[in-house]
Amino acid sequence: MPRDGELGFVTAWADLAQRFFENVLVHTKGRWARAPFILTDWQREDIIRPLWGTARYDAQWGAWVRAYNEAWVELPRGNGKSEVLAGTGLKLLAADDEYAAEIYAGAADRDQADHVFMVAKHMVELSPILSKLLRVIDSRKTIVDPRTSSFFKVISGDAAGNFGQGPHGILFDEVWVQKNRDLYDALRTGLGKRHQPLMMCALTAGNDVSSWVHAEHQEVL
């Protein structure tokens, strides 16, 4: 019997995540639109495979679960930050074996949160697989998986109390522009009700960050 908190690596989980990105998701812009989302070396080895494959035994659930509940992604501009966020949200929504999953895209303002949603929406519309499985509701900025009663939706930075009771996934874009950590903490607090939730925070590397973001940056080094 594994010990509570024991760590391991489940290659099949990492393979599944990589296949989802590369075989299901597609690019959405310019000459690469509709082309498979083939991960770069650093996307594959530094983010996707370790994030989805590293496991921890949880005695409370009596099962192996993902070891990481939070991911902090810092990238220079032009390196596909929004695409990684959107792809992660769609993986949590459609291919994470979670019933009634609630996935939220949040940011300091509605426009920024909408940006990640629009990338995810276009991925769904251009993917031969996802376009058959998921339903986009533009008027509500929501993507629904009818098979599992799950949804992916936008929340704005001034609506910290408007997310549900048990988020399975939270995508927090450009966290560095938050003046304080109130929204971050509110979203983070909601993660405890699922057995393997994930919050992915992304920011443009190299910005002059506020003190609380810098503290989080230092913690993950």
Side-chain angles (χ1 to χ4, degrees):
M1 176 67 70
R3 301 184 308 276
D4 186 39
E6 182 176 337
L7 294 177
F9 191 85
V10 183
T11 301
W13 293 2
D15 290 346
L16 177 62
Q18 182 177 342
R19 286 198 303 271
F20 181 83
F21 271 79
E22 297 188 337
N23 296 346
V24 176
L25 299 181
V26 297
H27 288 288
T28 63
K29 295 178 181 177
R31 60 178 295 198
W32 300 111
R34 294 186 172 84
F37 192 148
I38 304 301
L39 298 167
T40 63
D41 291 348
W42 62 266
Q43 287 173 333
R44 183 182 65 248
E45 301 301 332
D46 295 339
I47 300 177
I48 301 305
R49 291 190 66 84
L51 178 61
W52 295 93
T54 308
R56 171 181 57 83
Y57 188 77
D58 190 319
Q60 177 183 350
W61 293 97
W64 289 92
V65 299
R66 281 193 298 274
Y68 301 122
N69 297 133
E70 293 185 55
W72 187 270
V73 180
E74 299 184 16
L75 296 174
R77 292 188 183 279
N79 278 271
K81 173 174 59 65
S82 297
E83 285 73 18
V84 170
L85 276 173
T88 296
L90 292 172
K91 169 71 169 69
L92 290 164
L93 174 69
D96 206 33
D97 197 26
E98 185 76 12
Y99 193 82
E102 300 173 15
I103 317 301
Y104 297 96
D109 58 62
R110 183 84 179 193
D111 288 344
Q112 189 64 44
D114 282 355
H115 177 67
V116 173
F117 170 80
M118 292 303 293
V119 174
K121 170 194 167 181
H122 291 147
M123 283 181 168
V124 170
E125 292 172 339
L126 296 178
S127 167
I129 296 174
L130 292 182
S131 60
K132 296 176 182 177
L133 298 177
L134 304 179
R135 184 162 60 99
V136 176
I137 307 174
D138 270 315
S139 62
R140 292 162 50 192
K141 295 294 173 64
T142 301
I143 302 170
V144 175
D145 186 344
R147 301 169 303 159
T148 60
S149 298
S150 299
F151 63 78
F152 174 144
K153 69 182 298 184
V154 172
I155 56 171
S156 59
D158 58 358
N162 286 351
F163 57 93
Q165 298 302 307
H168 179 55
I170 296 170
L171 315 171
F172 197 168
D173 196 16
E174 294 297 7
V175 63
W176 68 274
V177 301
Q178 289 292 130
K179 295 179 180 178
N180 58 55
R181 60 182 302 138
D182 291 350
L183 178 61
Y184 172 77
D185 286 339
L187 295 172
R188 193 182 198 185
T189 300
L191 293 176
K193 298 178 183 179
R194 302 274 181 166
H195 75 291
Q196 53 176 11
L198 176 62
M199 179 174 185
M200 177 176 279
C201 297
L203 62 156
T204 304
N207 284 291
D208 292 330
V209 297
S210 61
S211 59
W212 77 269
V213 174
H214 183 67
E216 293 296 327
H217 165 86
Q218 291 298 111
E219 184 177 332
V220 299
L221 289 180

